Amino acid sequence: MKEFLHPLPPQEPRAGGPPPAVFWLTGISGAGKTTIAGCVIRLFTAFGWRAVNLDGDELRRGLNADLGFSDEDRAENVRRIAEVASLMADAGLLVVVSCISPKQSFRETAKAIVGAQRFIEVHIDTPLDVAESRDPKGLYRLARAGNITGFTGIHADYEVPTDPQLRIDTTLTQADPAANVIRQYYVGTRLRSVSIL
């Protein structure tokens, strides 16, 4: 039964569907990654595109529950997410990853796993003071109180992407328009020769 273990060839689009891609939304906690990812999924679904979200926080409660927040564990967290995203893209899906992935080396590893041709890095760019004022999960408050250690932006650096495909400033762009920016980029760079618009 080995024939059932091989993934579909990378970049092999489903008949009548868009070519697979992995949208890697990176940014500090509270930047708006999860919210924007949800909007992207809804937008893609409205166009009849098969799309799925891999949320870093949710995966930390399941697949990656055994990992901590050391550099080694953070790197492994990103690696596992990238492997899952790659398998989903192999199956013809559009994959939206929302994950802090704080180091450039982590994101380069993800890109290598997914494949450069289908990896779209999206920096959800939000100043620390804005993200901390939002603090939807109360994590900044806990970090400031010393109840969380190694928190990105407070105790650990976030390495800003040097050359992302997209940079979205959430102080200027709300979630729904941000999702449309992502879709427009995908259409303009990946669907030029595909008649499914």
Side-chain angles (χ1 to χ4, degrees), residues 7-174:
L8 295 175
Q11 298 296 317
E12 188 69 29
R14 178 173 61 98
V22 175
F23 303 83
W24 197 278
L25 277 56
T26 174
I28 60 176
S29 181
K33 301 181 298 298
T34 298
T35 301
I36 292 172
C39 292
V40 172
I41 293 296
R42 287 193 294 273
L43 182 61
F44 284 0
T45 301
F47 280 88
W49 300 348
R50 298 191 304 164
V52 63
N53 175 218
L54 293 176
D55 183 77
D57 287 343
E58 291 184 4
L59 290 170
R60 280 245 180 217
R61 292 191 288 269
L63 176 67
N64 297 334
D66 61 315
L67 299 176
F69 292 91
S70 66
D71 276 355
E72 293 77 11
D73 280 1
R74 287 174 188 264
E76 177 61 12
N77 178 58
V78 170
R79 188 195 69 79
R80 291 183 191 179
I81 294 172
E83 293 285 4
V84 174
S86 181
L87 288 172
M88 289 181 165
D90 286 346
L93 296 173
L94 294 170
V95 186
V96 183
V97 174
S98 42
C99 177
I100 293 174
S101 36
K103 290 185 177 290
Q104 183 69 28
S105 61
F106 299 171
R107 299 187 294 268
E108 288 297 328
T109 296
K111 182 178 181 180
I113 291 169
V114 169
Q117 288 187 322
R118 59 185 188 183
F119 186 86
I120 300 172
E121 184 178 20
V122 184
H123 180 206
I124 307 302
D125 190 3
T126 304
L128 178 61
D129 60 332
V130 174
E132 188 167 358
S133 70
R134 295 171 179 169
D135 203 13
K137 300 170 186 174
L139 298 178
Y140 284 99
R141 177 176 53 80
L142 292 173
R144 293 291 187 188
N147 295 321
I148 296 178
T149 59
F151 189 75
T152 302
I154 304 297
H155 312 115
D157 290 337
Y158 174 80
E159 296 179 3
V160 175
T162 56
D163 190 29
Q165 279 73 40
L166 285 171
R167 189 184 306 276
I168 297 173
D169 183 343
T170 62
T171 66
L172 302 174
T173 308
Q174 297 298 310

